[in-house]
Amino acid sequence: MAIQSKDNLTKINNQEPLLGKSLNELTEWVQQQGQPSYRGKQLYQWLYQQGARSLSEITVFPKQWRETVKDYPLGRSTIDYQSVAPDRTRKYLLRLADDLIIETVGIPTSKRLTVCVSSQVGCPMQCDFCATGKGEYIRNLKHHEIVDQVLTVQADFQERVSNVVFMGMGEPLLNIKEVVAAVRSLNEDVGISQRSLTISTVGLPGRIRQLAQHQLQVTFAVSLHAPNQKLRAQLIPSASHYPLDKLLAECREYVQITGRRVTFEYILLAEVNDLPQHALELAKKLRGFQTHVNLIPYNPIVEVDYQRPSQQRIEAFTEVLRRENIAVSVRYSRGLETDAACGQLRASRH
Ligand code: SAH
């Protein structure tokens, strides 16, 4: 007999985790359990506001019922390992119900607490400069596993999360259904505004259009990383099946459908894509596009020998874009010392 996957078993037991469910769904669930509907609201508050980790700790529930449902899965992970960088960025390795490990990062500033969430266990895209792609790709995350990452960081910092970026492990547009469900829950249940959520993608044919149909009001970012098809395909293997002009056309459609801008991310690799002529070529490509370019100086990973450009080169690149009237900012990644920065996530302690 074939071994059943955990997913099937969960369905057979009819025990889908409760996290990620809306107030209506939770109310339905308590009623199925023979409880009055107002317990749905209680459950909702305990899950999302108090951060309950099991039904047995929800003390407003009758003791006897709590005993009966104490093992019902809420969908919470456990912290397997945690490190804190000198800039107070915290990196977490979280253990999922099936014992797989993902990485999540909490990034505090004076006004914000941003969580960088994973959308997959591993990543199949294998961008040359990214640590996640050097490991094994295993599976998509469920929406509750994404919401859980945010609640875990919120509880650990004892501070409300203000922003969430889908820039951890994985390619969000390979997991649109669960990512969209997570966005709904983070927005409606956890209470984070959609504009404070950022989905970042490498771009896959047809997927940006597909995401646009959901009419999210999130911030949408596309990892461009090169001003022409040839260089982009060198850095991003999947780009060889997706010509840059087609990607940009799909981004224009996204703007039309959602009325939201697209941000372009551009990693800066010394001597590879950081010359003034690259900046000029990029500006030409983006002409007429209401956009913002986010430059990310390369964060080192051991497998490849790219270099981060000098400050002078970064400024020169920025200056060319400014002269060409392209809105631009430089994102200096946090958590560099503990391998918690962009592109360094590999679900390992180092
Ligand atoms: N799959 C999504 C999210 C990836 S992580 C995407 O491709 O957009 C978020 C950003 O970090 C992406 O722009 C990614 O290309 C970038 N990144 C990956 N490795 C990096 C590294 N070593 N240094 C700096 N940025 C990196």
Side-chain angles (χ1 to χ4, degrees):
M1 195 180 84
I3 297 171
Q4 252 155 351
S5 76
K6 187 142 191 145
D7 209 38
N8 284 340
L9 282 177
T10 316
K11 283 193 186 123
I12 288 168
N13 297 338
N14 204 17
Q15 293 200 333
E16 247 185 60
L18 298 179
L19 193 66
K21 289 192 190 292
S22 65
L23 176 58
N24 278 345
E25 289 167 330
L26 290 177
T27 304
E28 247 170 55
W29 182 79
V30 295
Q31 285 173 321
Q32 279 162 14
Q33 304 290 319
Q35 294 292 317
S37 61
Y38 68 87
R39 298 227 179 275
K41 186 100 190 259
Q42 292 176 325
L43 176 54
Y44 187 72
Q45 276 167 348
W46 277 76
L47 267 185
Y48 295 108
Q49 303 307 321
Q50 320 265 64
R53 306 188 57 84
S54 85
L55 287 174
S56 62
E57 60 183 78
I58 307 186
T59 46
V60 288
F61 288 166
K63 215 167 171 191
Q64 208 183 347
W65 184 49
R66 258 192 286 158
E67 192 50 38
T68 329
V69 290
K70 70 178 187 327
D71 294 326
Y72 199 96
L74 293 197
R76 298 304 311 262
S77 66
T78 52
I79 299 178
D80 199 62
Y81 172 78
Q82 176 176 0
S83 68
V84 185
D87 66 9
R88 298 191 302 125
T89 295
R90 296 186 200 173
K91 162 171 135 168
Y92 306 85
L93 298 186
L94 302 182
R95 186 175 292 277
L96 305 174
D98 56 1
D99 274 335
L100 294 175
I101 301 279
I102 52 164
E103 199 159 326
T104 303
V105 183
I107 309 158
T109 59
S110 57
K111 293 201 187 86
R112 294 176 173 189
L113 175 56
T114 300
V115 182
C116 177
V117 294
S118 293
S119 56
Q120 298 184 308
V121 187
C123 183
M125 304 311 298
Q126 307 198 325
C127 299
D128 202 32
F129 42 78
C130 180
T132 309
K134 306 295 174 199
E136 196 189 352
Y137 165 70
I138 304 183
R139 66 167 172 88
N140 277 332
L141 289 184
K142 294 285 185 187
H143 70 294
H144 74 268
E145 292 171 320
I146 299 173
V147 176
D148 165 76
Q149 297 174 58
V150 175
L151 293 182
T152 298
V153 175
Q154 186 156 279
D156 192 51
F157 274 86
Q158 300 204 337
E159 187 185 325
R160 281 197 76 81
V161 168
S162 59
N163 297 72
V164 175
V165 293
F166 286 77
M167 295 189 187
M169 304 172 82
E171 170 43 52
L173 296 200
L174 286 174
N175 191 14
I176 290 184
K177 181 167 163 268
E178 299 297 324
V179 164
V180 169
V183 164
R184 186 215 60 77
S185 179
L186 290 172
N187 178 220
E188 292 174 16
D189 310 329
V190 181
I192 305 171
S193 82
Q194 284 209 27
R195 287 172 188 221
S196 305
L197 308 174
T198 301
I199 296 180
S200 172
T201 179
V202 71
L204 294 151
R207 299 277 173 136
I208 293 177
R209 191 177 304 124
Q210 200 184 326
L211 181 70
Q213 309 303 334
H214 292 275
Q215 292 285 2
L216 301 179
Q217 291 301 297
V218 298
T219 301
F220 182 58
V222 174
S223 297
L224 209 56
H225 301 334
N228 59 61
Q229 172 61 15
K230 186 161 172 258
L231 185 53
R232 192 164 191 269
Q234 255 171 38
L235 301 173
I236 303 173
S238 65
S240 55
H241 310 290
Y242 195 19
L244 184 53
D245 289 340
K246 289 227 162 79
L247 167 66
L248 291 175
E250 218 177 304
C251 291
R252 288 196 168 87
E253 270 186 62
Y254 185 91
V255 176
Q256 263 178 0
I257 297 171
T258 62
R260 303 279 298 154
R261 285 190 194 186
V262 175
T263 297
F264 289 106
E265 293 162 286
Y266 192 102
I267 190 172
L268 286 171
L269 306 164
E271 309 287 346
V272 176
N273 67 353
D274 74 329
L275 303 174
Q277 72 230 38
H278 291 128
L280 205 56
E281 201 180 352
L282 179 64
K284 279 196 187 128
K285 271 270 174 262
L286 300 182
R287 196 148 288 158
F289 216 119
Q290 268 225 345
T291 186
H292 182 103
V293 172
N294 210 330
L295 300 173
I296 322 172
Y298 168 66
N299 299 314
I301 64 167
V302 292
E303 290 89 346
V304 284
D305 64 354
Y306 290 120
Q307 302 297 322
R308 174 186 278 219
S310 66
Q311 199 55 34
Q312 214 182 1
R313 289 177 77 107
I314 296 173
E315 274 159 27
F317 195 95
T318 311
E319 207 30 57
V320 174
L321 290 180
R322 284 222 176 93
R323 268 208 315 270
E324 296 293 319
N325 286 323
I326 304 277
V328 56
S329 56
V330 184
R331 185 167 83 214
Y332 289 99
S333 300
R334 308 269 308 270
L336 203 57
E337 298 84 350
T338 51
D339 281 353
C342 281
Q344 294 184 317
L345 307 189
R346 56 173 89 235
S348 82
R349 296 177 182 206
H350 310 290

